Structures are given as structure tokens and as C-alpha cells.
Amino acid sequence: MSYIEVEYPVEKTAFYEMLARQLELYMGGERNQTARLANASAVLAQAFGDTNWVGFYLVDGDTLAVGPFQGKPAVSRIGYGKGVCGTAWARRESQVVEEVSCFPGHIACDCASRSEIVVPLWRDGEIWGVLDMDSALPGRFTQDDRAGLERVVRLL
Ligand code: SME
């Protein structure tokens, strides 16, 4: 399947509807988790043009291990409760960080990052990983993005 460039609407509801359609298009029918998440990270990075890191950390025992992503090489393991990702896992809720330098324990992977959103991935009441997105723009992610991303990650 060749990738067809789409223009995402600015309005958030329409944006997240199109994002859901694109995720379904590029993951639809694929059962392999690595294949699904690899394409999901690419779709998300295309949709959010103003991000510098988009990808997944997946629960592996008592740590998160880096999964498919787009961006610079990143720390491969994050402990429970550590950094923004480990905090989302431990608190069992999304984290929206307007300014990463103000988040105690933030783990810097790309020093260009200024803001970040981390959204847990749920299956049968358990977190199996998190979606992590970084932007070089401060305050890039809003509560609307949190709500939109919490909906679309159910497709993963
Ligand atoms: N900033 C994250 C670490 C992962 S990188 O952003 C890719 C954190 O504090 O958990």
C-alpha cells in the first residue's frame, strides 16, 4: 500500500476523526503488534507535523521498553513511576506537560523537546504501554489533544 498524503483539518474534532480513519487504514487487518505500532507511529508523526518524537513504550516486566517510534534514538528503558512515561503508567492516567523543564524527573531524550503528552494504552483493565509524543513547541498539547488521543489509542 503506498502512502497517500492527506491534509489534516485544523479543527480538533475533525482532526481526530481523520486521524482515526488513517490509523484504521494503515493498521486495518494487521494483527502483528510491531507492524501495527510501527505504522501507527508514522501516521501520528505525519498528522502532528510539529512533533519531534512520536512513539511507544511497552510494558516489559517492571519497566517500559521503547517500541516503534519516529524521532531521535531514545532511552530504551523507563522505570515504573520514572519520567513522564513511567508517571503515566504508575498514576494510570495521561500526562500533559506544557513545559518539560518544569516536570520533576522528566527524562530528556531530545533536548529540543519543550512539551510532551503521554497516553496509556489499555487492554482488559491493564496498561500494556504508553503513547509518547514530544514537541519543540511549549504548550503544544492541550486537554482536547488528551481527549482525542485517549479515543484514538483504543484502535491500537
Ligand atoms: N521524556 C520521556 C522519555 C522518553 S523520550 O521523550 C522519547 C519521559 O520523561 O518519560
Side-chain angles (χ1 to χ4, degrees):
M1 183 199 294
S2 62
Y3 179 71
I4 298 163
E5 202 75 46
V6 289
E7 195 161 323
Y8 281 85
V10 174
E11 195 274 318
K12 295 268 182 183
T13 307
F15 174 89
Y16 280 101
E17 275 168 14
M18 180 170 280
L19 179 57
R21 283 201 299 275
Q22 290 292 300
L23 287 170
E24 278 167 344
L25 184 63
Y26 289 98
M27 296 187 318
E30 178 55 65
R31 291 207 314 263
N32 179 277
Q33 179 176 274
T34 305
R36 290 170 64 81
L37 295 184
N39 263 333
S41 68
V43 166
L44 286 158
Q46 292 288 329
F48 290 79
D50 50 7
T51 50
N52 58 317
W53 202 93
V54 175
F56 300 95
Y57 278 89
L58 305 175
V59 173
D60 182 26
D62 58 359
T63 60
L64 295 169
V66 74
F69 69 93
Q70 312 272 308
K72 289 190 176 164
V75 60
S76 59
R77 295 270 169 182
I78 297 176
Y80 187 76
K82 303 292 183 194
V84 187
C85 293
T87 299
W89 183 22
R91 293 197 188 151
R92 299 166 73 84
E93 62 178 21
S94 300
Q95 304 292 309
V96 180
V97 182
E98 289 187 8
E99 179 51 72
V100 294
S101 61
C102 299
F103 188 96
H106 168 257
I107 301 164
C109 290
D110 180 343
C111 58
S113 298
R114 294 289 303 277
S115 59
E116 181 163 3
I117 188 165
V118 177
V119 177
L121 311 176
W122 293 91
R123 186 182 297 133
D124 300 330
E126 294 297 326
I127 291 174
W128 59 277
V130 298
L131 164 66
D132 180 16
M133 305 208 320
D134 289 14
S135 174
L137 303 174
R140 165 62 184 82
F141 306 105
T142 64
Q143 292 302 320
D144 285 346
D145 293 310
R146 171 191 180 145
L149 288 169
E150 285 178 351
R151 270 200 309 280
V152 296
V153 297
R154 290 184 207 143
L155 300 169
L156 304 175

